[in-house]
Amino acid sequence: MKPNSTHLILVIGGTGTQGGNVARELLAHGHRVRILTRDPESTASKQMAAKGAEIVQGDMADLASLEPAMENVSAIFSVQYADPYDPSVEPRNAANMVQAAQKAGIEQVVHTSVAGSNQFPRWDKYQILTEYWDHKYDIEESIRNGGFRYWTILHPCWFMENYLEPNVALMAPELKNGVMFGNLNGDIPVQLSSGGDTAKFARAAFENPGKFSGKDINVAGDELSMTQIAETLSSVLDKEIVYEKVSSEEAIKRGMLKGTVYSMEWMEDVGGYGFDIQETKEYGVLSKSFAEWVEENRDRF
C-alpha cells in the first residue's frame, strides 16, 4: 500500500496510546486515516482531526455503528480495550470488529496484541494471567482465520510509557522519589517497546502487506534489565534513580498493579518476555533505544 494513495485505513483506538501513535505515523507518511471514536468532540479527537484524520463516531460494542465506519476502507489497525472489571468486553468487541470487517470486504488487518499470548504451554500460576493471554490469543485466532487477504499480529512487550503518566502511578509509583521497585531480579534482561515501535511496524505492514502478512511479530526497541532501566533514567534525566528488588507482597503493598507483579513473576521464570530481540531487528524496522526515547520524552517525566 503506497503512501498518498486512495487507500483509506481505519484506526481503532486512534485517540489512545497505541492507536494514536499509529494514526500519527500514518498521517505523517501520507496515508489517509479514519479514526473510530465514541466522542468526536473530545480533545484527543479534535487533535487528530487537526492532523488530517477523518473522525467518525462509533462504538466497538455497537456492531451497527461499525458498518458505516468501514465504508470504503481497505485496511484496519486494531487495538482492543481490555476492561479490568469485565474480561468479556475485549473479545466481544473484537468479534464485532471481525464480523463488520468481513461484511465490508476489508482486505487487511494489522492487530496489536501482547507478548506472550502465543507462547505455549501456558504459564498457569495465576488464573488472571492465563485468562488474559487466552482472550488475547482467541482474538488473534479470529483474525488469523477471518478470511482476510493480509493479516499481521504485533506483540509489544514492556512499554516504555510505563514510566510516564498515567501508567507510572501503578507501574512505578515511587519513581518521582527516585525509586523503582519490583519483584523481578534486577539483572534479568527485559524487552522494551514504545507506542512508536508499534506504529512503525504497523506502517511497514500497511506499506508492504506481502512481506508482513501471516506474521506474528514480537515488537521491541531495546533490551535492558530493571537495574539498567534505572541507570538509563538516571543518566538521561540527571537524577539518581535506583531499582529495589522486593517481594511480591511488598510490591503490591507499595502500590504496584497486582497484574504487573504477577507478570514480573512470569518474566522471572521465562527470562524477560521469552523472545530474542534480534528476531525483531531482522524485519529492518528502525526503533528507538530506551535512552533515545527517554531523551525525546524528558519533559513528560
Side-chain angles (χ1 to χ4, degrees):
M1 184 184 297
K2 299 293 185 182
N4 300 309
S5 70
T6 58
H7 292 286
L8 178 62
I9 301 172
L10 175 65
V11 177
I12 293 170
T15 57
T17 299
Q18 292 193 78
N21 273 289
V22 170
R24 286 187 288 271
E25 177 78 8
L26 292 171
L27 289 166
H29 289 83
H31 292 278
R32 293 178 60 216
V33 172
R34 176 183 288 168
I35 289 176
L36 179 74
T37 178
R38 286 179 295 180
D39 183 8
E41 297 302 314
S42 70
T43 299
S45 295
K46 290 180 178 179
Q47 288 174 341
M48 294 307 302
K51 292 182 180 295
E54 176 190 350
I55 308 297
V56 296
Q57 186 171 21
D59 190 331
M60 293 296 295
D62 179 8
L63 179 59
S65 74
L66 300 183
E67 294 185 8
M70 292 189 185
E71 290 181 0
N72 302 315
V73 167
S74 59
I76 295 174
F77 174 78
S78 162
V79 58
Q80 299 298 326
Y81 168 67
D83 190 327
Y85 303 105
D86 185 356
S88 70
V89 168
E90 183 179 16
R92 186 167 61 245
N93 286 356
N96 284 345
M97 181 204 72
V98 170
Q99 182 177 339
Q102 290 169 332
K103 184 176 181 179
I106 303 296
E107 282 201 331
Q108 182 181 20
V109 176
V110 177
H111 174 72
T112 182
S113 186
V114 66
S117 59
N118 58 340
Q119 294 179 17
F120 295 94
R122 284 275 186 258
W123 184 83
D124 59 359
K125 184 174 181 179
Y126 296 108
Q127 183 179 357
I128 188 173
L129 271 188
T130 57
E131 288 180 348
Y132 173 74
W133 284 316
D134 285 346
H135 283 156
K136 295 289 188 183
Y137 186 75
D138 288 345
I139 292 169
E140 295 165 19
E141 283 287 85
S142 71
I143 293 169
R144 293 186 189 102
N145 301 311
F148 302 108
R149 183 179 180 186
Y150 306 109
W151 62 262
T152 306
I153 310 295
L154 304 178
H155 298 268
C157 45
W158 186 264
F159 282 115
M160 299 180 189
E161 285 85 358
N162 286 342
Y163 301 106
L164 298 176
E165 294 291 350
N167 297 352
V168 70
L170 294 174
M171 307 298 278
E174 296 179 15
L175 183 60
K176 61 182 178 296
N177 299 323
V179 177
M180 286 172 48
F181 63 84
N183 51 325
L184 178 65
N185 279 335
D187 60 353
I188 292 178
V190 174
Q191 293 79 26
L192 299 144
S193 63
S194 70
D197 293 332
T198 300
K200 289 177 181 178
F201 269 95
R203 178 169 68 86
F206 287 127
E207 291 180 355
N208 195 345
K211 176 181 178 180
F212 289 88
S213 183
K215 304 290 187 182
D216 279 79
I217 303 172
N218 290 310
V219 177
D222 208 342
E223 186 175 74
L224 300 170
S225 68
M226 288 296 168
T227 298
Q228 290 172 323
I229 290 172
E231 290 171 348
T232 301
L233 289 169
S234 297
S235 175
V236 178
L237 301 178
D238 194 26
K239 175 183 178 180
E240 183 179 3
I241 297 171
V242 298
Y243 177 73
E244 296 180 0
K245 168 72 161 60
V246 301
S247 67
S248 297
E249 293 76 18
E250 183 176 350
I252 294 171
K253 184 177 180 180
R254 288 169 65 172
M256 182 171 278
L257 187 68
K258 186 179 293 186
T260 302
V261 173
Y262 295 165
S263 294
M264 282 190 169
E265 289 189 30
W266 170 70
M267 287 190 283
E268 182 97 30
D269 284 351
V270 304
Y273 277 86
F275 68 87
D276 186 347
I277 194 173
Q278 294 305 317
E279 296 176 3
T280 303
K281 293 181 178 180
E282 288 175 1
Y283 285 95
V285 177
L286 297 179
S287 300
K288 288 185 175 68
S289 69
F290 183 60
E292 291 171 327
W293 179 86
V294 174
E295 179 62 45
E296 186 178 89
N297 292 276
R298 63 181 304 144
D299 292 340
R300 299 172 64 190
F301 282 87

